[in-house]
Amino acid sequence: MENTRRKIPDFFKAYRPEYSSQRMHVPRAFLAQLDGPLPGEILLRHRMGRQWHVKVTLEAQDAYFEDGWQEFVRENLVETNDYMVFSYQSPGVFRVVIYGHSACEKKECALPGEVGEGSEVQEHDSDDDDEDYNEEEQEEEEDEGRSKRSKKEGNVEERKAANEDPTNVKRYIDLKNPYFVTVVQALRSSCLYVPRSVLIDYELKLPQAVLFHDPTGRTWRGTVKVWTDRRTWITGWGALCRHNNLKINDRCICELLEENGVTDRIIKVHIIGGNST
């Protein structure tokens, strides 16, 4: 009689950056279903065929996905409150399906490597925007500390994310302008994520070509890309981060300005905790 391998039940995790951005805890109930401990390295497979090598750390009765987990999160565009379902296909191999805020499966993932992360420009020229870049490569940057502004009421309300250190935003920007705060979480990221809440709260529609202004006066060209799930990314961010020697957990206030009647074509970047204060 042919031996059939026992089916190990799937498990799911809701993504919370405060608990799972650096490593992910594997449920004890799942571990109890296994015939032995997880191997020291496992494979996480995306439905599109890509896979990530992730180290497993064992601590007493607990197991954690660690080295390689951050890349998996970033390259699969995992956001707060996304649900991830893990299916144990064979020893050390998981198939992962990710469900987004729409309750539907998220099928896209970023491609490996970096291509043309923006170019420095000497003047504000919106016609020269032909740099190469990879549309699917972007940053799983968690954008904290967004502000809300009601145009109908004509006021600005400063809002801090729960895990953001207090920042004196008034010191850096004109509060009449739209803005949001982003936290650097990956040094190799090429794109800036624009929080959807900012676009909705300020009733913004970004132009296709934008310019980043860094604190030293340099200007970096960016291109706005909107994904099918309506998330908005801007290329050129990685070049600005590298030239300003930004480090992980540095905070940047992104202030959206108007130039020549075009709203939000200029993004003035105020670096908190980097080379500029």
Side-chain angles (χ1 to χ4, degrees), residues 76-140:
N76 281 281
L77 316 179
V78 182
E79 297 180 294
T80 302
N81 294 327
D82 280 356
Y83 278 82
M84 299 171 287
V85 178
F86 296 80
S87 302
Y88 202 55
Q89 294 189 311
S90 60
V93 179
F94 289 87
R95 179 178 182 269
V96 187
V97 179
I98 304 169
Y99 296 90
H101 299 171
S102 65
C104 296
E105 181 184 353
K106 295 170 70 170
K107 298 181 181 179
E108 75 278 4
C109 64
L111 296 178
E114 290 190 326
V115 182
E117 293 188 12
S119 54
E120 185 177 4
V121 295
Q122 299 304 318
E123 38 185 67
H124 304 164
D125 179 6
S126 61
D127 297 321
D128 183 19
D129 187 33
D130 59 355
E131 77 270 13
D132 292 331
Y133 96 108
N134 184 342
E135 181 175 352
E136 290 193 345
E137 187 192 35
Q138 43 69 45
E139 180 174 7
E140 178 53 77

Side-chain angles (χ1 to χ4, degrees), residues 56-74:
V56 175
T57 300
L58 302 178
E59 297 178 3
Q61 301 178 47
D62 295 306
Y64 297 87
F65 295 164
E66 291 208 15
D67 294 346
W69 171 250
Q70 301 93 331
E71 287 74 16
F72 174 84
V73 168
R74 182 175 67 251

Side-chain angles (χ1 to χ4, degrees), residues 5-277:
R5 188 169 63 86
R6 182 170 61 92
K7 173 74 169 74
I8 305 294
D10 300 345
F11 72 90
F12 78 91
K13 296 288 286 189
Y15 181 69
R16 303 282 197 278
E18 61 269 33
Y19 303 119
S20 307
S21 62
Q22 299 304 309
R23 66 178 190 169
M24 192 203 78
H25 179 255
V26 181
R28 287 184 180 179
F30 170 79
L31 297 175
Q33 302 291 327
L34 303 179
D35 295 329
L38 286 171
E41 181 176 297
I42 52 98
L43 279 178
L44 300 181
R45 284 182 175 162
H46 188 275
R47 67 182 300 280
M48 303 303 289
R50 286 196 59 197
Q51 59 186 28
W52 290 260
H53 293 265
V54 176
K55 300 285 187 185
V56 175
T57 300
L58 302 178
E59 297 178 3
Q61 301 178 47
D62 295 306
Y64 297 87
F65 295 164
E66 291 208 15
D67 294 346
W69 171 250
Q70 301 93 331
E71 287 74 16
F72 174 84
V73 168
R74 182 175 67 251
E75 293 178 11
N76 281 281
L77 316 179
V78 182
E79 297 180 294
T80 302
N81 294 327
D82 280 356
Y83 278 82
M84 299 171 287
V85 178
F86 296 80
S87 302
Y88 202 55
Q89 294 189 311
S90 60
V93 179
F94 289 87
R95 179 178 182 269
V96 187
V97 179
I98 304 169
Y99 296 90
H101 299 171
S102 65
C104 296
E105 181 184 353
K106 295 170 70 170
K107 298 181 181 179
E108 75 278 4
C109 64
L111 296 178
E114 290 190 326
V115 182
E117 293 188 12
S119 54
E120 185 177 4
V121 295
Q122 299 304 318
E123 38 185 67
H124 304 164
D125 179 6
S126 61
D127 297 321
D128 183 19
D129 187 33
D130 59 355
E131 77 270 13
D132 292 331
Y133 96 108
N134 184 342
E135 181 175 352
E136 290 193 345
E137 187 192 35
Q138 43 69 45
E139 180 174 7
E140 178 53 77
E141 258 188 11
E142 201 60 38
D143 290 274
E144 315 289 354
R146 304 159 194 163
S147 65
K148 286 186 177 180
R149 176 178 180 238
S150 168
K151 286 192 174 182
K152 293 179 181 177
E153 297 176 3
N155 60 40
V156 175
E157 176 190 350
E158 292 179 43
R159 179 163 60 93
K160 304 290 189 302
N163 63 342
E164 181 188 354
D165 295 331
T167 301
N168 185 9
V169 177
K170 295 178 184 178
R171 175 184 171 191
Y172 299 94
I173 73 165
D174 181 348
L175 290 179
K176 294 178 182 178
N177 295 324
Y179 74 93
F180 60 95
V181 178
T182 188
V183 180
V184 176
Q185 291 193 343
L187 296 179
R188 294 182 65 251
S189 301
S190 64
C191 298
L192 172 68
Y193 173 59
V194 181
R196 189 177 301 167
S197 61
V198 171
L199 300 174
I200 293 172
D201 294 341
Y202 287 98
E203 301 175 13
L204 301 178
K205 185 175 181 182
L206 296 176
Q208 184 177 5
V210 299
L211 292 170
F212 293 110
H213 285 190
D214 75 6
T216 67
R218 285 176 295 190
T219 303
W220 307 90
R221 196 186 315 282
T223 302
V224 175
K225 296 292 175 181
V226 181
W227 286 62
T228 52
D229 63 3
R230 300 177 67 188
R231 279 179 292 172
T232 301
W233 304 88
I234 306 177
T235 66
W237 177 250
L240 182 149
C241 291
R242 287 195 304 271
H243 280 263
N244 284 278
N245 298 318
L246 292 188
K247 302 176 181 63
I248 290 177
N249 294 327
D250 280 350
R251 298 176 184 274
C252 299
I253 303 173
C254 297
E255 182 182 9
L256 287 75
L257 309 178
E258 181 178 318
E259 184 194 54
N260 298 330
V262 179
T263 306
D264 310 319
R265 182 170 180 265
I266 303 294
I267 300 179
K268 188 174 181 180
V269 181
H270 308 268
I271 299 173
I272 314 299
N275 287 346
S276 301
T277 56

